């Protein structure tokens, strides 16, 4: 048991060790400072600029940056729909996979372009290699979209910001060439050495001990897994995601994958510190997020290591903790650690069955998605956090008797309106989605019987989790939910779309509006935002808005299960 | 009017406020406050439910329980309305008493047809009336000089010790009510009509009729509306979820949960806090033109203060006699006293005090006094063959040199030394021969250093504005502990300084009186005009100080901060309460259908009904319990923003989490007797 906890501790320590220098690197890249990668990667950037006709020096307003982001995303969506619904006759389809149905293609396209990677299909049987490669492209693109739009917000947070907040396209290209691509190549190489396949050949044929023929699915897996983890995408090449031995064969590959999940979300904080030259602020934000992360993590690990009382009641010893639905090569602690990593960020990959976890871990995982800003997705996690910071600044500004200001800019009614709408959106989508699903189920239990593998509160958790996952752009599933139906494909698809773009538009608009305001120099009366006190305030605001709004649903789901079990 | 300061609820106000609380139930008025409007909707729904049960509906629990919920929600509404009404009543009482206590001075009304003056009260003066003022008269009303020239002591209002000259024609023709004529005679036409006071505007403001929400209040309302919206979502989605879990929830429980979760505490007290803020300003004898001005005052970064009257005691005082070498000190002393015998200015009197000679022995026979006039800027007296004069250095120098005498260099040395120490030299001459110098010093007010220290801790930069030369100004600035100064200040300098600070993003407050201050008052983010200042100044500023006290700005800043802090503290308290209310009501909702959730009933409340009733009772009672805090305001302590946040977060955040746990449990013990 101590070995397992040590493994988790090591992963967290290594994560910080890599994230801090990476943050500085990203900061330099997004701030156009001299960087070691300029000599041998700069020409690739320029090549893209020339092909696309991008003027590297041109800066545009926040509205134009948003327009650029939205139009190019729409283009990608159309392309994705075309590929997924025509896979059957397109090249790179050695196993003869069929095209997707329109509603599944819609759900999958939306899901991958928005960095969600909710999968209502199984990779082995649902996608050709061209389909997989298309989705892999979106995994790069959606992560870079998050980083680029976050860079626009960084521009708006600077003291002497102007109306021009950089250029989305330039940030986008640089995020891919300088950060995502080099890191992915590095990670993929490690996976290949650990035994992850990287091939365009069709299924491998082999015999088992009984002499029966077995087909083993394979493909360009290593490249896919690398960006799925680094870009907080989470969509698996195979159905069982990173629990599959060919996606995550060893404890070492598991460590690299786990570290990859949180690496860029944490590094983005230090990148902010670098761009704004406010390192202490970066550490304060890190402290708040880390506190939230640990408060979700510790109960989860403790609960998984303790085992399931229902199994103990059957007289079965659980020395390794609760092992139902877990891979023996990872163990209970590393699986719980992964579960919290993947739900706190909007990653959504899994290395164990979340459905089988103890109620407390299930609740922690859901809370990770409900708050969705304890590190959060690449780039967008910071944007979610930014909205809560604006709300915290407002309330604490009042409490010290001064019109609230954040980094020298006054927060007024307009910014509050936007921040409040964005903060409300997530509970709205999750609660109304779950409300609608429970309503339909309660109205006609027989027609919806295929949805749920469990009745009662666990069935409720399955539905709640699915909507949390969609609205948090997470993409993981509690599983046990029959989700490839028209209702689930459409409802989650629409929620994913809304929950991706509005929470990007809102913070960019706030940053843009604040950038145009006059900078107020700091005085002794100014409330500093880089202190532990302010950090506590931000944490309290996140707790109140996210946790309290969702409390009744948690009571009906995991808490009822918990109190019935213990 | 100071005596009413400590009574929170003035006599008669409570019954009037209660009446008004019912009147305010009008949904059109309630709509201004979205949180309380939602409570009103919930109350009406409960009324319908009660009627339904009375008509035989069996699904909603007992009639008594439902009626209790209805009554409690109704009380919540009344308490919130009462809070607003009592704040208004206090403001109104205050304004009324202010109006009665306005000081009246006699006025010499000029009758053009008879060419005679008639003595009337200043309150009887009408716009367009002409009055006359001679030496030693207090000018009864704001006006414009139409005839004559006079030196006027405006130190009572402006604090400037040096008398000013006002004359007919030109831009120095306006005089201010409350100032005093020192010499000569003027004829003045009244420019400000009586009754058009800011008080009338203020009364309208506190009565709520014309009270507009401030930008900050609007932002807070958005926040509160947002929090209410969250819980609408919660309640709406909870309905199908509970039927999925086969745990049906009664309407009373739904509405109680909703009302308890939305921020009713701050929602109910919000407008009371705003009105009380303006009322506190009024109690400090400052009339604000809008609530916004009070709020802005809390944000001030730079404070422009006139030296005289604010930092130093109104008038300079003689502190030392410096005889020329070869002159007998007693001789200078005697000459100084003689020259000041007829001098009624505070400086002149202070020379007599300092010399402390027996005036009866000293006074010569048949003296001819030379009064200070604006043209010669010299005063003194003649007797027998002696002519004694005193005045500023250049005036005496002209006098001496015109008589053919030389002006001793030692005087220049002496005077520059005095200037360097922040003093003002007055040169004394006898028969056009210089005897020595009287040193006048500004007396820095006691305790002013500490006040500036307090301002510095609040993050406010203080700037002293003075007509003194830079050397004197620097000396006094250092002595008083101000951060910066503007020496030899002309009105344009103030304006320029304000613009410069504002360009850097700072908010500037200043106090002013004269017409020439008007542009700067208008430019400043908070301009406080003295009540005795010119009409132009009062129009330009956004507050009027009835006491004409230049240090009032400091109080105004604190009132502004208090206003914001009270809102912030009660918002935090209100939202923090939700934690405990959740733990009280949520188990109560489901416990019958899912008995396992008894584990969530951490407060061990007696029954679902008692848990819900206790929460609603706590939610209703907390509003009147916090009315005194809302009206008095959260005290401001200049301990730095982070320390202040920590303190208030502990007090109202942590306190807000703990208080309802204790309160609801105690109420439950009582309620469990019946439910």
């Amino acid at each position: 048991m101590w070995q397992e906890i040590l493994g988790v501790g090591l992963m967290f320590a290594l994560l910080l060790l890599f994230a801090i220098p990476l943050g500085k690197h990203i900061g330099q890249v997004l701030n156009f400072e001299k960087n070691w990668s300029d000599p041998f990667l700069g020409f690739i950037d320029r090549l893209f600029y020339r092909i696309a006709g991008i003027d590297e020096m041109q800066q545009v307003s926040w509205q134009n940056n948003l327009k650029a982001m939205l139009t190019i995303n729409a283009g990608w969506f159309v392309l994705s729909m075309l590929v997924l619904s025509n896979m059957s006759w397109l090249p790179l389809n050695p196993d003869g996979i069929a095209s997707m149905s329109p509603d599944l293609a819609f759900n999958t396209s939306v899901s991958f372009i928005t960095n969600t990677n909710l999968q209502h299909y199984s990779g082995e049987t649902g996608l050709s290699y061209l389909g997989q490669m298309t989705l892999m492209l979106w995994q790069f693109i959606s992560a870079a979209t998050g980083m680029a739009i976050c860079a626009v917000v960084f521009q708006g947070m600077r003291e002497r910001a102007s109306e021009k907040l950089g250029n989305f396209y330039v940030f986008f290209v640089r995020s891919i060439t300088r950060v995502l691509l080099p890191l992915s190549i590095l990670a993929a190489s490690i996976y290949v050495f650990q035994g992850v396949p990287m091939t365009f050949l069709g299924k491998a044929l082999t015999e088992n001990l009984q002499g029966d023929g077995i087909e083993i699915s394979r493909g360009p897996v290593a490249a896919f897994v690398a960006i799925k983890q680094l870009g907080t995408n989470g969509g698996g090449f195979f159905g069982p995601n990173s629990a599959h031995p060919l996606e995550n064969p060893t404890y070492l590959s598991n460590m690299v994958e786990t570290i990859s999940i949180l690496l860029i979300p944490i590094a983005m904080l230090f990148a902010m510190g670098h761009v704004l030259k406010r390192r202490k602020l970066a550490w304060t934000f890190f402290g708040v997020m880390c506190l939230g992360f640990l408060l979700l993590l510790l109960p989860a690990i403790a609960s998984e290591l303790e085992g399931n009382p229902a199994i103990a009641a059957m007289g079965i010893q659980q020395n390794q903790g609760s092992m139902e639905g877990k891979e023996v090569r990872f163990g209970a602690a590393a699986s719980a650690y992964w579960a919290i990593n993947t739900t706190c960020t909007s990653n959504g990959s899994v290395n164990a069955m979340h459905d089988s976890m103890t109620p407390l871990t299930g609740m922690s995982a859901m809370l990770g998605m409900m708050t969705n800003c304890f590190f959060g997705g690449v780039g967008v996690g910071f944007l979610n956090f930014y909205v809560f910071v604006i709300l915290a600044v407002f309330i604490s500004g009042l409490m010290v008797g001064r019109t609230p200001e954040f980094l020298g800019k006054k927060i007024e009614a307009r910014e509050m309106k936007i921040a409040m709408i964005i903060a409300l959106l997530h509970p709205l989508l999750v609660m109304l989605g779950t409300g609608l699903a429970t309503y339909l189920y309660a109205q006609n239990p027989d027609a919806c019987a295929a949805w749920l593998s469990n009745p009662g509160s666990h069935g409720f958790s399955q539905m709640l989790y699915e909507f949390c996952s969609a609205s948090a752009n997470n993409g993981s599933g509690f599983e046990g939910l029959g989700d490839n139906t028209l209702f689930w494909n459409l409802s989650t698809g629409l929620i994913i779309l809304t929950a991706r773009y509005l929470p990007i538009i809102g913070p960019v608009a706030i940053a843009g509006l604040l950038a145009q305001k006059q900078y107020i120099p700091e005085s002794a009366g100014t409330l500093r935002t880089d202190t532990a006190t302010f950090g506590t305030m931000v944490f309290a605001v996140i707790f109140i808005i996210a946790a309290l709004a969702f409390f009744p649903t948690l009571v009906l789901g995991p808490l009822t299960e918990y109190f019935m079990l213990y | 009017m100071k005596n009413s300061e400590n009574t929170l609820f003035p006599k008669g106000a409570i019954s009037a406020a209660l009446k008004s609380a019912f009147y305010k139930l009008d949904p059109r008025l309630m709509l201004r406050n979205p949180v309380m409007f939602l409570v009103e909707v919930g109350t009406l729904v409960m009324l319908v439910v009660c009627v339904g049960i009375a008509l035989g509906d069996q699904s909603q629990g007992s009639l008594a329980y439902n009626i209790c919920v209805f009554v409690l929600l109704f009380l919540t509404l009344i308490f919130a309305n009462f809070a607003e009404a009592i704040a208004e009543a206090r403001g109104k009482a205050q304004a009324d008493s202010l109006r009665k206590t306005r000081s009246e001075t006699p006025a010499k009304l000029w009758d053009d047809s008879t060419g005679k003056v008639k003595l009337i009260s200043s309150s009887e003066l009408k716009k367009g009336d002409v009055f006359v003022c001679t030496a030693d008269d207090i000018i009864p009303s704001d006006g414009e000089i139409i005839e004559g020239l006079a030196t006027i002591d405006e130190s009572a209002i402006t604090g400037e010790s040096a008398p000013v000259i006002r004359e007919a024609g030109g831009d120095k023709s306006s005089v201010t009510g409350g100032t005093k004529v020192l010499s000569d005679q003027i004829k003045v036409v009244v420019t400000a009509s009586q009754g058009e006071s800011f008080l009338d505007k203020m009364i309208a403001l506190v009565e709520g009729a014309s009270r507009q929400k401030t930008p900050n209040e609007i932002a807070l309302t958005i926040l509160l509306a947002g929090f209410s919206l969250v819980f609408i979502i919660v309640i709406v989605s909870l309905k199908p979820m509970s039927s999925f879990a086969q745990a049906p929830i009664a309407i009373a429980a739904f509405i109680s949960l909703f009302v308890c979760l939305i921020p009713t505490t701050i929602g109910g007290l919000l407008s009371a806090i705003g009105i009380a803020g303006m009322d506190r300003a009024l109690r400090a004898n400052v009339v604000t033109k809008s609530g916004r001005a009070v709020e802005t005052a809390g944000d001030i970064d730079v404070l422009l203060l006139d030296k005289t009257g604010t930092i130093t005691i109104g008038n300079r005082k003689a502190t030392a006699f410096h005889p020329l070498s070869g002159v007998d000190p007693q001789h200078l002393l005697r000459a100084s006293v003689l020259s000041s015998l007829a001098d009624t200015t505070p400086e002149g009197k202070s020379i007599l005090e300092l010399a402390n000679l027996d005036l009866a022995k000293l006074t010569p026979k048949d003296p001819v006094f030379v009064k200070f006039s604006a043209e010669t800027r010299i005063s003194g007296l003649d007797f027998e063959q002696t002519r004694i004069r005193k005045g500023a250095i250049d005036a005496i120098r002209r006098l001496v040199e015109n008589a053919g005498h030389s002006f001793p260099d030692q005087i220049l040395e002496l005077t520059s030394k005095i200037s360097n120490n922040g003093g003002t030299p007055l040169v004394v001459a006898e028969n056009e021969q210089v005897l020595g110098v009287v040193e006048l010093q500004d007396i820095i007010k006691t305790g002013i250093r500490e006040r500036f220290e307090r301002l510095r801790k609040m993050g406010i930069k203080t700037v002293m504005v003075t007509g003194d030369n830079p050397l004197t100004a620097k000396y006094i600035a250092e002595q008083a502990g101000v951060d910066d100064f503007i020496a030899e200040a002309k009105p344009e300098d103030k304006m320029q300084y304000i613009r410069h600070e504002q360009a850097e993003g700072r908010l500037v407050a200043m106090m002013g009186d004269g017409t020439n201050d008007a542009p700067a008052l208008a430019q400043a983010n908070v301009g406080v005009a003295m009540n005795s200042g010119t009409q132009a100044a009062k129009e330009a500023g956004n507050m009027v100080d009835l006491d004409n006290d230049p240090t009032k700005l400091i109080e105004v800043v604190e009132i502004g901060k208090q206003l914001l802090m009270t809102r912030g503290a009660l918002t935090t308290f209100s939202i923090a309460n939700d934690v405990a209310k959740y733990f009280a009501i949520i188990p109560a909702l489901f416990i019958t259908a899912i008995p396992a959730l008894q584990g969530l009933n951490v407060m061990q409340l007696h029954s679902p009904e008692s848990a819900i009733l206790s929460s609603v009772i706590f939610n209703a009672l907390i509003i009147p319990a916090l009315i005194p805090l809302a009206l008095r305001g959260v005290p401001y302590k200049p301990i730095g923003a982070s320390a202040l946040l920590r303190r208030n977060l502990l007090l109202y955040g942590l306190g807000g989490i703990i208080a309802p746990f204790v309160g609801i449990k105690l109420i439950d013990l009582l309620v469990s007797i019946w439910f």
Side-chain angles (χ1 to χ4, degrees), chain A residues 9-271:
Chain A
L10 187 64
M11 281 190 271
F12 195 65
L14 285 173
L15 170 67
L16 291 187
L17 194 70
F18 297 135
I20 294 169
L22 178 65
K24 191 178 170 193
H25 169 73
I26 297 177
Q28 287 174 342
V29 167
L30 296 181
N31 210 22
F32 301 97
E33 292 169 29
K34 250 178 92 89
N35 183 264
W36 57 268
S37 61
D38 290 344
F40 51 97
L41 291 176
F43 76 95
I44 304 182
D45 300 357
R46 284 190 289 279
L47 188 69
F48 277 109
Y49 299 150
R50 195 160 311 152
I51 295 170
I54 299 166
D55 179 0
E56 200 184 345
M57 308 312 281
Q58 192 196 14
Q59 298 209 22
V60 298
S61 66
W62 63 270
Q63 293 98 328
N64 284 336
N65 274 314
L66 278 180
K67 263 181 223 158
M69 189 273 296
L70 289 172
T71 41
I72 200 166
N73 269 257
W76 289 322
F77 170 75
V78 172
L79 188 62
S80 178
M81 281 296 282
L82 288 177
V83 171
L84 293 181
S85 42
N86 293 288
M87 277 185 305
S88 57
W89 57 271
L90 285 168
L92 283 177
N93 191 0
D95 298 324
I97 308 278
S99 301
M100 280 184 174
S101 68
D103 61 314
L104 184 60
F106 165 76
N107 188 284
T108 309
S109 298
V110 161
S111 169
F112 274 79
I113 281 167
T114 58
N115 198 268
T116 308
N117 299 16
L118 194 70
Q119 293 166 296
H120 288 174
Y121 65 92
S122 192
E124 300 91 325
T125 53
L127 282 177
S128 71
Y129 291 164
L130 183 71
Q132 295 277 22
M133 300 259 292
T134 310
L135 296 188
M136 190 171 89
L137 179 63
W138 307 147
Q139 293 189 325
F140 275 100
I141 282 175
S142 63
T145 299
M147 287 177 75
I149 211 72
C150 192
V152 171
V153 171
F154 289 168
Q155 291 294 313
M157 287 166 73
R158 290 185 313 174
E159 278 177 22
R160 309 278 169 191
S162 67
E163 295 204 353
K164 308 274 183 204
L165 302 182
N167 187 329
F168 172 79
Y169 293 119
V170 176
F171 290 134
F172 178 77
V173 170
R174 286 173 79 93
S175 299
I176 293 187
T177 58
R178 308 299 181 93
V179 185
L180 294 171
L181 202 56
L183 281 173
S184 295
I185 292 172
L186 187 70
S189 311
I190 299 174
Y191 300 145
V192 168
F193 278 111
Q194 289 297 304
V196 178
M198 187 66 200
T199 175
F200 283 116
L201 294 177
K203 284 173 181 158
L205 292 170
T206 184
E207 275 183 10
N208 68 4
L209 293 174
Q210 290 177 319
D212 299 337
I214 296 178
E215 289 184 330
I216 299 173
S217 293
R218 52 184 177 175
V221 186
F224 196 94
V225 172
I227 185 62
K228 130 189 151 183
Q229 298 299 73
L230 283 165
T232 60
N233 291 290
F237 194 92
F238 303 118
N241 211 305
S242 280
H244 193 292
L246 292 185
E247 274 203 58
N248 190 5
T250 63
Y251 196 84
L252 178 65
S253 72
N254 189 60
M255 281 181 80
V256 178
E257 288 192 27
T258 315
I259 291 170
S260 300
I261 294 177
L262 270 178
L263 187 62
I264 297 179
I266 294 184
M268 284 307 280
L269 284 181
F270 296 112

Side-chain angles (χ1 to χ4, degrees), chain A residues 1-2 4-5 300-312 316-328 330-336 356-358 361 566:
Chain A
M1 188 171 116
W2 286 111
E4 286 196 57
I5 292 174
I301 289 186
S303 167
E304 291 306 311
L305 283 176
E306 198 187 274
N308 189 330
I311 293 181
I316 299 171
Q317 287 228 324
Q318 304 178 78
N319 296 330
Q320 294 183 313
S322 170
M323 284 303 288
E324 184 199 310
K326 293 193 180 64
E327 295 294 305
V328 177
F330 308 139
S335 299
S356 296
M357 294 200 170
T358 55
T361 314
Y566 289 88

Side-chain angles (χ1 to χ4, degrees), chain B residues 208-284:
Chain B
S210 65
R211 202 177 84 88
Q212 286 189 321
K213 281 189 175 168
T214 61
N216 194 275
E217 233 176 327
I218 293 170
L220 185 58
T221 309
I222 292 171
L223 182 87
L224 298 180
F227 273 112
S228 308
L229 214 57
V230 174
F231 294 115
I232 291 184
I233 298 169
V234 169
I235 295 299
V236 168
S237 59
L238 203 55
K239 172 75 184 145
M241 289 181 197
S242 62
S243 34
F244 174 84
Q246 284 157 356
I249 302 172
I251 294 175
F254 260 129
I255 291 184
S256 305
L257 175 66
F258 178 63
V259 168
C260 285
L261 291 182
I262 59 174
T264 46
T265 311
I266 177 69
L269 294 172
L270 189 58
S271 52
I273 295 169
I275 297 167
M278 288 204 287
D279 179 47
R280 271 199 299 280
L282 192 56
R283 253 155 230 270

Side-chain angles (χ1 to χ4, degrees), chain A residues 160 391 394-405 410-414 416-418 420 423-425 427-432 434-442 452 454-457 459-461 463-464 518-528 531 533-534 536-537 540-541 543-545 547-553 555-556 559-560 563-564, chain B residues 215-216 218-220 222-227 229-231 233-238 240-245 247 257 292 295-296 298-301 456-460 502-507 560-562 564-569 571-572 575-576 578-579 582-583 586-587 590 594 596-600 636 640-649 652-653:
Chain A
R160 309 278 169 191
L391 295 180
F394 183 77
I395 300 176
S396 46
L398 290 184
M399 283 216 284
V400 299
R402 208 176 148 91
T403 299
E405 57 200 57
K410 276 201 155 60
I411 310 281
E412 284 160 309
R414 253 175 105 185
M416 279 303 293
K417 211 179 279 177
I418 301 173
M420 211 58 223
L424 284 183
L425 183 70
L428 176 81
L429 294 176
V430 175
M431 306 278 284
L432 288 191
T434 316
L436 186 62
T438 49
Y439 175 75
L440 291 176
Y441 193 97
L452 303 178
N454 291 80
S457 56
F460 181 80
S461 294
M463 293 190 283
L464 177 63
Q518 197 177 29
Y519 176 76
I520 305 157
E522 230 167 67
S523 77
T526 312
L527 178 71
R528 294 189 65 92
T531 59
T533 315
F534 182 73
T536 315
M537 189 71 203
V541 167
F543 176 78
I544 297 265
I545 292 187
L548 280 193
F550 290 114
F551 185 68
T553 57
V555 168
L556 285 177
L559 279 174
T560 297
F563 283 112
M564 284 164 88
Chain B
N216 194 275
I218 293 170
L220 185 58
I222 292 171
L223 182 87
L224 298 180
F227 273 112
L229 214 57
V230 174
F231 294 115
I233 298 169
V234 169
I235 295 299
V236 168
S237 59
L238 203 55
M241 289 181 197
S242 62
S243 34
F244 174 84
L257 175 66
R292 187 179 185 151
E295 246 174 45
T296 314
D299 288 346
I300 287 305
D301 301 289
R456 199 166 300 120
K457 280 189 186 145
M458 288 158 77
I460 296 169
Q502 285 175 336
E504 306 236 302
R506 297 190 183 88
L507 296 187
K561 286 198 177 294
Q562 260 191 343
L564 293 185
M565 277 172 56
T566 312
R567 278 193 203 133
T571 303
T572 308
I575 296 171
D578 278 359
V579 178
Y582 251 138
F583 275 99
I586 291 286
F590 302 123
I594 313 167
L597 282 176
Q598 183 63 36
L600 208 60
Y636 177 77
S642 278
L644 199 60
L645 178 62
R646 201 166 333 148
R647 183 178 177 277
N648 285 340
L649 209 52
Y652 300 99

Side-chain angles (χ1 to χ4, degrees), chain B residues 123-360:
Chain B
S123 60
E124 292 169 53
L125 280 174
K126 289 184 292 292
K127 195 170 177 176
D129 280 353
V130 177
F131 60 85
V132 178
C133 280
T134 49
D136 290 336
D137 278 351
I138 303 283
I139 298 175
S141 163
D142 289 3
E144 224 174 283
I145 304 178
I146 49 172
E147 198 182 305
L149 168 154
T151 48
I152 294 169
D153 175 13
E154 293 195 335
S155 66
I157 322 136
T158 60
E160 289 297 339
S161 47
V164 293
I165 298 155
R166 296 277 181 259
E167 59 187 317
D171 57 354
K172 285 185 174 174
S173 61
S174 89
V175 290
T176 315
T179 54
K180 191 179 177 186
V181 177
L182 292 178
S183 68
D184 311 290
Q185 176 175 335
I186 46 173
K187 218 183 256 181
V188 182
V189 62
V190 178
T191 52
S193 55
Q194 305 292 317
E196 260 184 30
S197 72
F198 293 105
L199 282 174
D200 299 315
K201 290 181 191 171
M202 181 68 193
I203 290 162
L205 279 177
V206 295
E207 279 173 348
S210 65
R211 202 177 84 88
Q212 286 189 321
K213 281 189 175 168
T214 61
N216 194 275
E217 233 176 327
I218 293 170
L220 185 58
T221 309
I222 292 171
L223 182 87
L224 298 180
F227 273 112
S228 308
L229 214 57
V230 174
F231 294 115
I232 291 184
I233 298 169
V234 169
I235 295 299
V236 168
S237 59
L238 203 55
K239 172 75 184 145
M241 289 181 197
S242 62
S243 34
F244 174 84
Q246 284 157 356
I249 302 172
I251 294 175
F254 260 129
I255 291 184
S256 305
L257 175 66
F258 178 63
V259 168
C260 285
L261 291 182
I262 59 174
T264 46
T265 311
I266 177 69
L269 294 172
L270 189 58
S271 52
I273 295 169
I275 297 167
M278 288 204 287
D279 179 47
R280 271 199 299 280
L282 192 56
R283 253 155 230 270
N285 269 355
V286 175
V287 179
T288 51
K289 288 194 197 164
S290 71
R292 187 179 185 151
V294 181
E295 246 174 45
T296 314
D299 288 346
I300 287 305
D301 301 289
V302 180
L303 209 52
L304 291 191
L305 295 163
D306 283 331
K307 179 200 77 174
T308 323
T310 314
I311 295 164
T312 59
I313 290 171
N315 304 299
R316 282 177 279 230
K317 279 190 170 170
T319 53
F321 297 98
H322 301 277
L324 268 182
S325 50
V327 174
D328 177 13
Q330 282 303 313
H331 189 188
L332 172 65
L333 218 62
R334 209 174 131 253
S336 303
V337 170
L338 286 175
S339 70
S340 306
L341 275 180
D343 187 349
T344 51
T345 62
E347 285 101 334
K349 284 178 187 155
S350 77
I351 291 174
L352 300 188
E353 276 169 33
L354 181 71
N356 197 20
L357 295 178
D358 187 350
L359 294 180

